[in-house]
Amino acid sequence: AQKITQTQPGMFVQEKEAVTLDCTYDTSDPSYGLFWYKQPSSGEMIFLIYQGSYDQQNATEGRYSLNFQKARKSANLVISASQLGDSAMYFCAMREGYTDKLIFGTGTRLQVFP
Amino acid sequence: DSGVTQTPKHLITATGQRVTLRCSPRSGDLSVYWYQQSLDQGLQFLIHYYNGEERAKGNILERFSAQQFPDLHSELNLSSLELGDSALYFCASSVVGDYGYTFGSGTRLTVV
């Protein structure tokens, strides 16, 4: 069965520093997609970044980059130059190819301090 | 504004009651997905509709049902509500084949 694992319940980072949020996945499908979403305290789910299983290069979106290591089945999110507004829950998710649904991890709560 | 509209934003109701949550997808998106986010279960996929037809079911209780109408908006009906149904219910939409899923702001359901 497909599964997403986020082993860090909480992370702290100082403003302007970089932080890595871990995500490992398990799937037997050769074609899959990996996503990161941010959920601030207000509750909405904000799309951050996407990585396809066949993409040769790691995805980047502004201050967000995805460290994709296919052999290790990991898709870690790197946030550079952290800002106070980055404090939120972060979810890693994988698209299941057959049903097109997203399978989510349990999330990591990131707190950025001055 | 993500383009996906969910109403109502908040709902408080008593056990045993029935409620309807509504979702209008982003313009052009044919797929609608419903997710439940609770403290104990995390984010769980409930159901997926594509252009009016059910495509996939997840951990959706028999007391719950959904449909997608010809104008592509979707409704999630929750009946015989229990305290454990209290959760944040998200709707997301996408164009099949596109990797983007856009989430609405959610409906926070509280069952008392």
Side-chain angles (χ1 to χ4, degrees), chain A residues 14-19 63 79-84 86 112:
Chain A
Q14 190 167 29
E15 201 177 6
K16 300 179 185 177
E17 296 295 311
V19 63
R63 293 185 300 109
I79 305 174
S80 63
S82 297
Q83 302 172 355
L84 296 178
D86 294 334
V112 182

Side-chain angles (χ1 to χ4, degrees), chain A:
Chain A
Q2 297 186 321
K3 187 177 179 182
I4 291 284
T5 302
Q6 294 181 256
T7 57
Q8 305 156 315
M11 290 283 286
F12 287 88
V13 66
Q14 190 167 29
E15 201 177 6
K16 300 179 185 177
E17 296 295 311
V19 63
T20 298
L21 306 184
D22 294 342
C23 172
T24 59
Y25 61 92
D26 189 17
T27 182
S28 56
D29 291 339
S31 177
Y32 51 90
L34 296 159
F35 301 75
W36 277 92
Y37 284 88
K38 172 184 178 182
Q39 186 177 40
S41 57
S42 52
E44 70 267 33
M45 294 290 284
I46 302 168
F47 167 75
L48 295 178
I49 198 166
Y50 166 81
Q51 180 84 42
S53 58
Y54 294 118
D55 293 344
Q56 295 296 315
Q57 293 189 326
N58 288 343
T60 60
E61 291 284 351
R63 293 185 300 109
Y64 305 107
S65 60
L66 201 151
N67 185 359
F68 181 47
Q69 298 188 38
K70 199 169 183 177
R72 298 181 59 186
K73 293 190 174 180
S74 73
N76 299 338
L77 176 70
V78 180
I79 305 174
S80 63
S82 297
Q83 302 172 355
L84 296 178
D86 294 334
S87 295
M89 280 290 286
Y90 288 81
F91 291 95
C92 181
M94 177 168 57
R95 182 185 64 228
E96 184 184 84
Y98 180 71
T99 63
D100 215 27
K101 72 182 185 186
L102 289 177
I103 299 165
F104 286 88
T106 51
T108 296
R109 181 170 298 280
L110 176 66
Q111 296 189 54
V112 182
F113 59 94

Side-chain angles (χ1 to χ4, degrees), chain B residues 2-5 24-30 71-72 93-95:
Chain B
S2 68
V4 177
T5 303
S24 293
R26 196 177 52 171
S27 178
D29 287 356
L30 301 179
D71 66 353
L72 300 179
S93 73
S94 78
V95 175

